[in-house]
Amino acid sequence: MAKIIFVTGGVVSGLGKGITSASLGMLMKSRGLKTTNIKIDPYLNYDAGTMSPYQHGEVFVLDDGGEVDLDLGNYERFLNTSLTFDHNITTGKVYSTVIEKERRGDYLGATVQVIPHITNEIKERIRKIADGYDIVVVEIGGTVGDIESMPFLEAARQMQLEEGRDNVAFVHVTYVPKLKVVGEQKTKPTQHSVKELRSLGIQPDAIIARSEDPLEENAKKKISLFTNVPTEAVISAYDVEDTYEVPLLLEKGGLGKYLTKRLGINDKKPDLKAWKEMVRKYKEIRDEVEIAIVGKYVKLADSYLSIKEALKHSSVANEVKVKIRWIEAEDLEKEGVKLLENVDGIIVPGGFGARGSEGKIMAVKYARENNIPFLGICFGFQLTVVEFARHVLDFKGANSTEIDPHTPYPIIDLMQEQRDLDKLGGTMRLGAYPIKIKKDTLARKLYAKELIYERHRHRWEVNPDFIEELEKAGLVFSGIAGDDERRMEILELPDKHYFIATQFHPEFKSRPMKPAPVFKGLVKAAKERRYG
């Protein structure tokens, strides 16, 4: 059985439990231990697929098509790994399985209850993933005290009893505020949070104290005294410039060393050389380019978290920092393209529905006509085709049938297999599919291979009836689906400096040491535009 580290959160939500869990997994992996991460989401949704980005940030898509919480994106980036849909456990998944079993009669007439049936199902799912690993880091979403989290915390408590204390540890992430009035760090919220956790039968082994400034020594001693956690296990996790510094901060605080000792693992020196070099490079970059992201959820930057990260990865590769100019697509419709003036690159990301679509089309047109480095993604890819049909082929009223079902030119249309669905959850073209890239194209130059696998999340596609006319007018479809050649995957305009769009989401497979090729190319082109 793998050693399990449960990560819980207290005081307030949004403290960075996900980054902490990802960092912890990465520190264990850097010690040569076979490590994976699990995210528990206490909401009743089966998965994140039907949730608005305003509710929960971006929906992250895995290779197997799982639509999951954005924290799994952090895990994949920090551990440089690919996870599965089973790595995201939700209340919806757990309850639906238990009810299915009850309907089949699997419980032999027993009264089905939260304990033991729900908690057993949770433990079973964790153990199934843990098989074959040395370490599993399990992040329990929500805040201690939330009613939704109770069955998961109870299951975690039971696991420590069943597996033995040497095999299960608890790390609690809390907030230590500093009140301006008194000018000192206050530990009382942490004390109360740990008291709540202990009332559930869980004693944390380590506390990650989140604060604006480094944790003061007297605050550390006070937390240790009132929570029954050794001083060496109270780790200061103060605000840093960049999230990729967090693993180094936690390692410096002694978290990796303490937890390996606590779990009876021989501690090896972690191999963090490449990671440190990456962080150093990013911090030392002085040149800067500005790239506009024209979206419909820009009020919550987490809606485009993977795009932000892919730009960061590309920053290091191109030795230039990317400043993002967030532009609400509807504002572009009202105020015009002046909002895009002086940018070095433009991204039109994914999204669903008509709202803001005309603003996105305006952004595509502005990039095409002014030869500004451009990247369209998913819905952005589709609207790029619509813009080209409208303004190059002069197909007046051309549109996607998602936006206008009665358009005279249905350039983008619903996939055949999507037409009679009565359920929305998990029914799109989801996950990694093969894409064949044509020779002598920008896409081939960027990817340097003929066959790639990229992750998808869409229903509508380029209408095959219009492909010939679009290509005759100069639009190049340089990537075509490997499983169905009617599906267009990548487009480009060869006469532009850098103009490319993808039906898939390249940001989901971008890694700190290996940026997504189309993002790396965009940042390179933006740098050339700015600095020559």
Side-chain angles (χ1 to χ4, degrees):
M1 179 67 191
K3 308 271 185 181
I4 295 175
I5 301 169
F6 286 102
V7 179
T8 58
V11 187
V12 291
S13 60
L15 284 177
K17 274 200 315 297
I19 295 292
T20 302
S21 302
S23 300
L24 189 46
M26 185 261 207
L27 291 178
M28 293 297 154
K29 188 177 178 180
S30 70
R31 285 169 158 77
L33 297 163
K34 199 177 176 196
T35 308
T36 195
N37 281 55
I38 294 173
K39 173 70 193 289
I40 287 173
D41 281 303
Y43 47 65
L44 271 166
N45 303 61
Y46 191 84
D47 59 29
T50 57
M51 293 164 79
S52 161
Y54 280 137
Q55 288 274 316
H56 216 67
E58 78 175 1
V59 177
F60 191 81
V61 180
L62 304 169
D63 279 343
D64 64 7
E67 296 173 281
V68 295
D69 184 83
L70 57 80
D71 279 323
L72 276 87
N74 288 322
Y75 303 162
E76 285 203 345
R77 287 186 284 269
F78 277 64
L79 273 76
N80 189 26
T81 191
S82 288
L83 301 175
T84 70
F85 191 36
D86 288 343
H87 285 78
N88 193 194
I89 301 171
T90 65
T91 300
K93 277 186 183 180
V94 170
Y95 273 77
S96 63
T97 302
V98 168
I99 289 165
E100 250 174 62
K101 286 179 178 177
E102 183 272 331
R103 292 289 81 190
R104 279 201 310 262
D106 291 8
Y107 296 121
L108 305 173
T111 304
V112 180
Q113 295 175 292
V114 174
I115 302 170
H117 301 97
I118 295 295
T119 49
N120 283 352
E121 180 63 30
I122 294 164
K123 291 184 292 184
E124 198 177 304
R125 283 171 178 263
I126 293 170
R127 287 185 176 119
K128 185 182 164 192
I129 290 288
D131 188 33
Y133 285 97
D134 300 319
I135 297 273
V136 181
V137 179
V138 184
E139 178 191 348
I140 301 178
T143 308
V144 170
D146 294 349
I147 196 165
E148 297 96 335
S149 307
M150 294 297 186
F152 296 104
L153 291 166
E154 171 59 19
R157 180 196 70 76
Q158 290 176 19
M159 280 194 87
Q160 189 176 61
L161 186 70
E162 290 162 10
E163 303 296 333
R165 196 172 173 276
D166 290 347
N167 296 316
V168 177
F170 289 94
V171 173
H172 192 50
V173 183
T174 73
Y175 180 51
V176 179
K178 189 172 190 173
L179 301 181
K180 285 179 184 173
V181 185
V182 284
E184 68 170 336
Q185 291 175 330
K186 290 291 180 185
T187 64
K188 194 64 76 179
T190 297
Q191 292 175 41
H192 282 299
S193 180
V194 174
K195 188 180 176 186
E196 179 92 32
L197 197 58
R198 290 170 78 182
S199 74
L200 301 172
I202 295 170
Q203 166 63 45
D205 297 287
I207 286 173
I208 310 291
R210 289 281 294 109
S211 55
E212 287 178 29
D213 306 309
L215 195 64
E216 292 154 13
E217 198 55 39
N218 63 333
K220 188 184 259 202
K221 284 176 181 169
K222 208 170 180 183
I223 289 169
S224 170
L225 179 68
F226 283 98
T227 62
N228 206 32
V229 169
T231 316
E232 64 179 305
V234 179
I235 311 293
S236 173
Y238 53 89
D239 291 351
V240 287
E241 183 190 331
D242 178 43
T243 51
Y244 293 130
E245 292 179 59
V246 176
L248 305 178
L249 185 70
L250 297 180
E251 182 60 30
K252 190 181 169 190
L255 183 66
K257 189 179 178 184
Y258 175 79
L259 283 173
T260 48
K261 181 175 137 193
R262 159 70 182 78
L263 291 166
I265 300 164
N266 288 330
D267 189 32
K268 293 178 190 166
K269 193 178 179 199
D271 181 8
L272 297 168
K273 192 179 172 187
W275 195 271
K276 282 178 181 171
E277 182 62 13
M278 182 263 295
V279 169
R280 183 192 65 78
K281 269 186 176 176
Y282 184 71
K283 290 184 85 166
E284 287 178 0
I285 295 168
R286 293 291 166 260
D287 288 346
E288 187 177 82
V289 292
E290 188 172 25
I291 291 177
I293 295 179
V294 182
K296 56 189 285 187
Y297 311 111
V298 298
K299 288 184 178 73
L300 183 70
D302 268 3
S303 303
Y304 303 106
L305 180 64
S306 292
I307 289 176
K308 275 168 56 188
E309 296 306 308
L311 287 171
K312 200 186 284 181
H313 308 157
S314 303
S315 292
V316 177
N318 286 293
E319 297 184 346
V320 64
K321 273 206 174 131
V322 175
K323 180 186 175 189
I324 296 173
R325 187 188 294 186
W326 296 102
I327 297 175
E328 186 70 51
E330 285 178 294
D331 291 344
L332 207 59
E333 292 169 6
K334 293 174 204 157
E335 298 176 46
V337 293
K338 64 173 189 238
L339 296 178
L340 291 165
E341 282 174 8
N342 302 318
V343 296
D344 304 301
I346 295 171
I347 295 174
V348 176
F352 293 94
R355 184 175 69 80
S357 60
E358 290 303 320
K360 289 186 173 190
I361 288 169
M362 286 167 73
V364 176
K365 185 171 186 273
Y366 185 80
R368 182 178 59 78
E369 291 182 342
N370 294 281
N371 201 10
I372 295 167
F374 172 80
L375 172 60
I377 299 167
C378 196
F379 192 44
F381 165 87
Q382 296 167 7
L383 294 180
T384 302
V385 184
V386 170
E387 189 282 324
F388 191 85
R390 281 187 193 178
H391 303 119
V392 178
L393 283 168
D394 202 26
F395 287 178
K396 289 185 171 59
N399 218 326
S400 165
T401 55
E402 178 185 5
I403 300 162
D404 177 8
H406 309 295
T407 171
Y409 297 103
I411 299 293
I412 305 295
D413 203 4
L414 200 58
M415 296 155 58
Q416 193 60 46
E417 62 270 32
Q418 293 287 332
R419 294 194 174 179
D420 302 314
L421 292 173
D422 57 353
K423 287 181 182 171
L424 290 179
T427 55
M428 287 184 269
R429 183 168 165 86
L430 288 164
Y433 286 91
I435 297 141
K436 289 178 186 168
I437 303 179
K438 292 177 183 172
K439 281 181 184 173
D440 304 319
T441 59
L442 172 60
R444 188 65 169 263
K445 186 182 168 192
L446 292 168
Y447 281 93
K449 56 174 88 164
E450 185 185 357
L451 190 69
I452 60 170
Y453 287 81
E454 290 281 1
R455 299 177 185 180
H456 298 67
R457 186 176 185 252
H458 66 101
R459 291 184 200 281
W460 277 262
E461 298 204 322
V462 177
N463 187 337
D465 296 345
F466 293 97
I467 289 168
E468 198 178 327
E469 285 175 275
L470 289 161
E471 292 206 306
K472 266 185 190 167
L475 192 68
V476 173
F477 287 109
S478 52
I480 295 168
D483 61 325
D484 181 348
E485 295 197 344
R486 295 168 307 149
R487 302 176 194 270
M488 299 300 106
E489 291 277 9
I490 308 172
L491 69 80
E492 55 190 69
L493 288 175
D495 61 328
K496 302 298 174 194
H497 180 197
Y498 187 89
F499 193 100
I500 195 164
T502 66
Q503 178 61 82
F504 53 84
H505 285 267
E507 69 272 23
F508 292 149
K509 288 180 79 170
S510 188
R511 303 283 183 264
M513 316 287 185
K514 197 180 177 188
V518 287
F519 278 92
K520 187 179 174 184
L522 176 74
V523 174
K524 181 175 183 274
K527 185 181 181 182
E528 286 164 359
R529 180 181 169 85
R530 170 67 68 95
Y531 296 103

